[in-house]
Amino acid sequence: MSPKAVSPRRRKGAKKRTSWLCVFAFWRSVLLDLGWVRLRPLLVFSAAVSFSASAQVRSHIDHAFDQAATEFGVPAPLLEAISFSQTRVQHLTWAEGDTVSCMGMPRPYGIMALWDNDLFGRSLRRAAELIGQDPEVLKRDPVQNIRGAAALLSHLRSTAGKTPEPLAPDLTLWADAIAAYTGIRQPDLALGHAYEVLTRLSRGITSEVISVPAQRVELGALRSRVRTLALAAAPSADPLKTAATPDYPDARWVPGKAGYYYTTGNGKQFVVVHDMEGYYASVLSYFQTLSDGRSVSIHYCVNGLQDSPSDYPPGDIAQMVEEQFYAWHAVCLNTWSIGIEHEGFASNPVWFTPEMYLASGRLIKYLCEKHGIPKDRNHIVGHGEWQNGAWVQWAVNNGYPSTFGTCNSHTDPGAFWDWDFLMQIVTDDQTPPKVTSTPPTALQFVDMRVSVTFDQRMEPAFSAAAFSLTPSVAGSITWTDNGRTMHFQPSSYLSFDTEYHVTIDPSARNYLDRTLDGNGDGTAGDRYGFSFRTVLRDTIVPSVVNTYPAEGATSISRTAEFVVTFTEQIDQSSLAEGFSLETEGGTPLPVTAVNYATGPGFSRVRFRTTQELAPASVYRLVVLPTLRDLSGNFLPQAATATFTTEPAAVLNGTVINTLDAVGSWWQPGTSGTTRNVLASFAIDNATKRAGTGSGRVTYEWTQASGGILREHNSSTPSIEGGSMLGAWVYGDRSGHELRFGCYYYTGTSTSNFVTVSAGPIDWTGWKLRTISTSSIPVGNGSPRKFTSFLIYQNAAGERSGTIWFDELTVGSSITDVEDALEIDVPSAWRLLPNYPNPFNPRTRIAYQAAARGHARLSVYNSLGQEVARLVDDVVDPGTYGAEFDASDLPSGMYVAVLRAGGTRSVSRMMLLR
């Protein structure tokens, strides 16, 4: 939305966001007491699982909620519910200078929606102060954003005279702290939003972006407080409207700031669609408490979700300016149009619910019929319609001002807005839905997912109930393509050499209650169906396509991740004992699983050791014939790859950035160079080459080619004083190109950006990567500076991955000697992840000893009862492993606990039979 002025208000930089739809698929709980464990959903591996980078991008955020909860005494579910309510767990970052939305509303920052403005307060600065960080760090780093929010909530509760209690049975004790946290000025709206958050927790949160179990919340007293405040704040009758009655019968009258509209104009000839770039409660508050200099308004606002029984329902409509006036929402379109705001952010389609579209579509239909506005896309437009050259030309040809194509600079409601669905509702299109996908004709693999695509958005409950598969198979249904494609995922493999029949009954329907046109003749009420047949039982034995490292490979990283690719899918229950890593003398080393993925005609397993390999040494990777495919065919013989590790190396020089803290590192999406990629940056304290952490960049390319990821450091340290610039890089063997970015200077202060290639990322594990500083022009003699690591997409490379950076150094020589880092002698007592996990019935549990001392390794069931004691002895420094045999135990979650060195470490395991 734009202010009232006809000339557009330009701002520095383009609006950018980095999406964080943060969901992690494994158990992730904090063992707060040995007999109490907070549980989360488990992703059970299946042959159809593909490990997407979307999950990689989100995974570390999930743990941050638990860590912040423990650190600051705030319940983790409460943090997650606040994040979901205010950002849908999306980390919001903005380009430099982009401090307000298209309607002038201040920007919230980060995954927890912290504020830094006069209207909603300075929660960003206060949160940063409480955790000893710079506010800019909280803007860029979602982990620090969560920590800051937790610290602020704890502080707000303490200042109210209440001590934070993470396990307190009554979460409503946090209500006033949540209300203060929102920054909303009106007490009724602020406490009402707190009530919404807590009510959401009482029901649990299950969506595409987060999953939180239902919590015990005593809402009775809080409900009464909210109602009392709401009645006291009810608006009095507006003299321009009888008893404050809205124009649209299904709307509520919530007047915006008085006088913020034109009283005359050119007639209502357009409807302009906006998104709020915020959530419903805060936007209503904003329009009612505008400060000087913010001259904006809107006719109607539409809610997306109902957050509590007393919250406004999904699709709730608030009218804030009378239709007889002209609201200030779209600059030169103001005097021609009616404006409608919709809850949410353009970068995240999860905000745009079906209920929102239905309510908005019916409202627009009413407005068109009342004001004589044609129900077409020339007259029902988005705020960003000025980018549509065909529409601009149409407007000029029909006598409208040419400024329609120049006065705006905003792009809402964005690329995710479902115009087809909206217009279907506006026009009351009674065309029945039909299937547009083509049934499979070839034999199908037994791990197939059945998908059916419709030409319209379908009502999910009725349509899912209409689906059946014969012979019957248990499974689950999900939807993609804005509710137009249904996917049935069987919970187990289909049978070999079997004909299946898919049926969708006529009860499948769209949101206008039009039932299925199964035969495509234009009439509703027809059944749709097709058959397919699965492949014959496989009699071909699996084989190894390749391994990394390959046979005879040299200069392999001492921390390499091993990759084995097979000709077909492997039965995952055989992976536990399927691999061996041996020294040249035949001594086996423990390994741990990373992931298992499949694709057309292949499967791939990745794993690594639990300790660093020796430098310049020979090892043997063995793929054992105990592995079998889905039909039970075993690998005919072992496959081996003998390789040599690289010598130990150190770049002699000065470390100019340790990457132990976020500091001045940006999120990749904040850089204007970054394109065609979803990516995140975070400090990883577990995977590091030296110091206390490393910088982890996780990414997923959104296009097949042409992507660039820039991880920028705004401190731009000098690279003078050495002939080489280098860093330790943990590669992902993705095939993309690694570059170092630097500045050099010409004239008096002009900076020039240049990148120098460090070669393809064709390795796994830590490797030292360097470039020559002589490749950076000297310019005017001013110090040259490092600015960024860059990844240039290779079209033939992987679509997703994760790499780590550590110890950025300027030096003049590389010495092939053992460096100061010795992770063969661990720096701390640590319990490592067990492998395999899930397991049946045995798994290996590894741990590290930092010094000689007593170690006790036990396994407990979900009731906190010890079911096995695997280690109870004095051990020397090093890495050890123990086998847990659960042959006599039932399926379920088990907890491994290591007590040693005055510390306790916990790891969760799942036994599946």
Side-chain angles (χ1 to χ4, degrees):
M1 174 174 297
S2 301
K4 67 174 181 177
V6 173
S7 59
R9 182 168 56 179
R10 302 288 182 183
R11 303 188 185 95
K12 288 175 59 180
K15 180 167 63 179
K16 288 183 178 290
R17 306 175 186 84
T18 301
S19 295
W20 294 81
L21 309 181
C22 307
V23 181
F24 189 51
F26 288 95
W27 297 108
R28 57 158 185 81
S29 61
V30 175
L31 190 67
L32 298 174
D33 184 82
L34 211 52
W36 185 88
V37 181
R38 185 162 63 91
L39 303 182
R40 297 300 173 91
L42 172 71
L43 173 64
V44 180
F45 288 162
S46 73
V49 171
S50 175
F51 289 83
S52 73
S54 296
Q56 296 176 18
V57 168
R58 308 179 199 121
S59 61
H60 68 280
I61 301 300
D62 197 63
H63 297 291
F65 285 112
D66 286 334
Q67 293 166 357
T70 302
E71 183 178 3
F72 297 105
V74 182
L78 184 63
L79 294 173
E80 293 170 302
I82 291 172
S83 177
F84 183 79
S85 296
Q86 300 193 166
T87 71
R88 295 300 184 263
V89 200
Q90 176 188 19
H91 187 69
L92 301 172
T93 63
W94 314 98
E96 183 181 358
D98 189 6
T99 59
V100 296
S101 72
C102 60
M103 61 182 172
M105 181 172 167
R107 295 290 196 195
Y109 293 100
I111 196 169
M112 299 299 294
L114 294 168
W115 299 105
D116 190 19
N117 58 79
D118 294 330
L119 184 61
F120 293 106
R122 305 287 176 180
S123 59
L124 175 73
R125 298 185 190 182
R126 186 66 181 123
E129 178 185 350
L130 288 170
I131 64 173
Q133 292 283 354
D134 189 289
E136 294 300 315
V137 173
L138 273 67
K139 288 182 181 180
R140 296 191 299 271
D141 188 339
V143 174
Q144 298 303 323
N145 195 272
I146 293 169
R147 288 187 67 238
L152 179 59
L153 282 162
S154 179
H155 171 75
L156 291 171
R157 181 138 191 252
S158 297
T159 55
K162 300 172 182 176
T163 302
E165 301 172 70
L167 298 181
D170 186 3
L171 288 173
T172 58
L173 296 175
W174 290 88
D176 290 312
I178 301 170
Y181 177 91
T182 66
I184 297 174
R185 292 185 179 184
Q186 298 93 324
D188 61 314
L189 288 178
L191 191 64
H193 183 64
Y195 180 67
E196 294 165 13
V197 171
L198 293 166
T199 304
R200 183 185 292 280
L201 270 180
S202 71
R203 301 179 309 194
I205 302 173
T206 302
S207 74
E208 295 179 358
V209 292
I210 203 167
S211 179
V212 180
Q215 307 293 308
R216 178 185 174 187
V217 187
E218 304 293 343
L219 292 167
L222 180 60
R223 184 184 301 112
S224 298
R225 287 182 60 198
V226 171
R227 288 175 177 171
T228 299
L229 286 174
L231 289 173
S236 57
D238 188 308
L240 297 175
K241 304 190 74 62
T242 303
T245 303
D247 291 300
Y248 180 52
D250 291 337
R252 295 180 298 108
W253 177 239
V254 184
K257 192 162 185 177
Y260 273 45
Y261 46 75
Y262 295 126
T263 57
T264 60
N266 298 299
K268 306 301 188 299
Q269 302 186 41
F270 297 91
V271 175
V272 180
V273 172
H274 306 264
D275 76 80
M276 293 178 179
E277 295 298 296
Y279 61 94
Y280 197 56
S282 67
V283 170
L284 294 182
S285 170
Y286 170 70
F287 280 121
Q288 292 180 321
T289 56
L290 290 165
S291 58
D292 291 341
R294 294 188 178 95
S295 298
V296 292
S297 56
I298 194 69
H299 289 99
Y300 291 97
C301 291
V302 185
N303 191 26
L305 284 178
Q306 182 175 19
D307 294 324
S308 72
S310 67
D311 178 31
Y312 304 122
D316 181 77
I317 300 174
Q319 183 176 0
M320 309 196 79
V321 172
E322 293 184 78
E323 290 175 21
Q324 65 174 310
F325 302 131
Y326 295 84
W328 299 334
H329 62 102
V331 195
C332 59
L333 275 165
N334 287 345
T335 59
W336 302 84
S337 64
I338 294 175
I340 305 175
E341 285 283 353
H342 299 81
E343 183 183 36
F345 295 84
S347 61
N348 191 346
V350 72
W351 289 93
F352 304 145
T353 63
E355 293 83 2
M356 174 187 285
Y357 283 112
L358 288 167
S360 183
R362 290 163 184 158
L363 169 61
I364 295 173
K365 179 176 184 291
Y366 164 87
L367 294 172
C368 289
E369 292 173 352
K370 177 178 179 180
H371 297 282
I373 304 172
K375 299 175 185 176
D376 60 45
R377 283 285 284 113
N378 284 328
H379 296 85
I380 303 169
V381 298
H383 196 180
E385 211 71 49
W386 60 275
Q387 297 175 303
N388 180 354
W391 177 78
V392 173
Q393 188 61 54
W394 171 88
V396 172
N397 291 344
N398 283 273
Y400 292 104
S402 60
T403 53
F404 277 18
T406 59
C407 73
N408 276 301
S409 60
H410 307 297
T411 59
D412 58 308
F416 294 118
W417 186 258
D418 193 344
W419 283 106
D420 289 340
F421 185 37
L422 180 73
M423 295 306 297
Q424 180 186 31
I425 301 162
V426 171
T427 60
D428 195 24
D429 186 351
Q430 294 299 304
T431 304
K434 62 182 179 181
V435 174
T436 59
S437 54
T438 302
T441 56
L443 295 177
Q444 300 297 299
F445 291 106
V446 294
D447 67 327
M448 77 168 294
R449 179 177 72 169
V450 181
S451 299
V452 179
T453 299
F454 303 87
D455 66 344
Q456 302 175 25
R457 186 185 286 231
M458 303 295 286
E459 197 287 324
F462 283 104
S463 301
F467 177 91
S468 64
L469 182 66
T470 308
S472 179
V473 178
S476 59
I477 287 179
T478 57
W479 294 84
T480 59
D481 302 331
N482 281 332
R484 290 172 173 81
T485 299
M486 174 197 296
H487 305 282
F488 174 75
Q489 179 64 62
S491 56
S492 60
Y493 298 136
L494 302 180
S495 299
F496 288 100
D497 192 22
T498 300
E499 183 169 298
Y500 287 88
H501 188 72
V502 174
T503 300
I504 302 178
D505 289 336
S507 57
R509 63 190 62 188
N510 63 18
Y511 278 94
L512 275 67
D513 287 329
R514 295 291 287 163
T515 56
L516 184 65
D517 173 13
N519 59 11
D521 65 355
T523 59
D526 304 321
R527 178 180 288 105
Y528 173 81
F530 65 87
S531 298
F532 65 89
R533 194 170 192 86
T534 54
V535 296
L536 297 172
R537 180 171 293 277
D538 182 13
T539 59
I540 301 175
V541 298
S543 62
V544 175
V545 177
N546 54 54
T547 64
Y548 178 83
E551 172 65 28
T554 60
S555 193
I556 297 301
S557 169
R558 297 159 58 198
T559 53
E561 180 178 300
F562 304 100
V563 185
V564 182
T565 304
F566 299 91
T567 53
E568 56 180 300
Q569 294 186 34
I570 299 299
D571 185 342
Q572 293 182 61
S573 65
S574 69
L575 294 177
E577 306 295 336
F579 305 94
S580 175
L581 183 67
E582 304 171 354
T583 65
E584 188 174 17
T587 301
L589 300 176
V591 298
T592 181
V594 176
N595 67 42
Y596 171 77
T598 66
F602 78 92
S603 64
R604 182 173 294 140
V605 178
R606 297 174 178 265
F607 56 94
R608 56 188 175 192
T609 65
T610 58
Q611 65 189 58
E612 184 167 336
L613 304 179
S617 300
V618 176
Y619 292 88
R620 182 179 300 105
L621 171 64
V622 183
V623 185
L624 299 169
T626 54
L627 288 167
R628 58 182 179 270
D629 64 18
L630 300 183
S631 295
N633 301 307
F634 286 89
L635 197 70
Q637 60 188 14
T640 63
T642 302
F643 62 92
T644 305
T645 57
E646 64 182 354
V650 61
L651 175 57
N652 302 304
T654 302
V655 177
I656 58 176
N657 194 293
T658 63
L659 286 109
D660 289 339
V662 172
S664 51
W665 294 98
W666 290 10
Q667 286 297 328
T670 309
S671 169
T673 304
T674 296
R675 65 171 181 261
N676 297 345
V677 66
L678 296 175
S680 69
F681 174 83
I683 296 300
D684 189 336
N685 302 120
T687 303
K688 55 184 180 291
R689 186 62 193 172
T692 60
S694 67
R696 177 181 59 202
V697 175
T698 308
Y699 61 92
E700 178 180 13
W701 305 110
T702 60
Q703 303 293 331
S705 62
I708 299 175
L709 186 157
R710 184 183 183 189
E711 180 50 49
H712 177 67
N713 186 292
S714 60
S715 70
T716 59
S718 170
I719 64 170
E720 302 298 342
S723 61
M724 287 184 287
L725 174 64
W728 284 95
V729 182
Y730 193 109
D732 58 4
R733 199 166 170 256
S734 59
H736 307 299
E737 182 185 7
L738 172 66
R739 299 189 187 185
F740 287 72
C742 296
Y743 286 150
Y744 69 93
Y745 297 86
T746 57
T748 56
S749 61
T750 303
S751 62
N752 299 276
F753 180 55
V754 62
T755 66
V756 180
S757 176
I761 307 173
D762 57 2
W763 75 94
T764 66
W766 287 110
K767 274 185 174 288
L768 181 61
R769 282 293 173 260
T770 63
I771 62 169
S772 171
T773 55
S774 64
S775 59
I776 311 299
V778 175
N780 64 5
S782 297
R784 296 166 295 175
K785 297 180 178 181
F786 170 86
T787 173
S788 47
F789 297 112
L790 299 100
I791 304 174
Y792 277 64
Q793 183 183 11
N794 177 353
E798 299 291 333
R799 288 298 293 267
S800 62
T802 302
I803 65 174
W804 289 257
F805 300 98
D806 208 356
E807 299 296 281
L808 179 66
T809 303
V810 174
S812 297
S813 64
I814 296 176
T815 303
D816 289 341
V817 297
E818 185 62 54
D819 59 29
L821 180 67
E822 289 285 355
I823 60 175
D824 286 335
V825 179
S827 60
W829 289 89
R830 183 179 296 113
L831 181 62
L832 302 173
N834 65 299
Y835 174 74
N837 191 25
F839 66 98
N840 178 24
R842 290 177 295 277
T843 187
R844 184 173 181 81
I845 306 172
Y847 66 97
Q848 294 179 334
R852 181 176 174 81
H854 186 272
R856 177 184 295 174
L857 177 61
S858 301
V859 177
Y860 295 82
N861 62 19
S862 60
L863 299 177
Q865 300 167 326
E866 186 179 52
V867 297
R869 183 168 296 185
L870 306 179
V871 177
D872 194 355
D873 203 356
V874 175
V875 298
D876 292 320
T879 301
Y880 299 88
E883 183 177 275
F884 173 44
D885 188 339
S887 298
D888 299 327
L889 296 173
S891 296
M893 191 191 77
Y894 292 85
V895 179
V897 179
L898 174 68
R899 293 181 178 85
T903 65
R904 184 181 70 173
S905 302
V906 177
S907 178
R908 287 154 296 281
M909 309 176 293
M910 175 56 67
L911 171 62
L912 292 179
R913 296 193 183 280

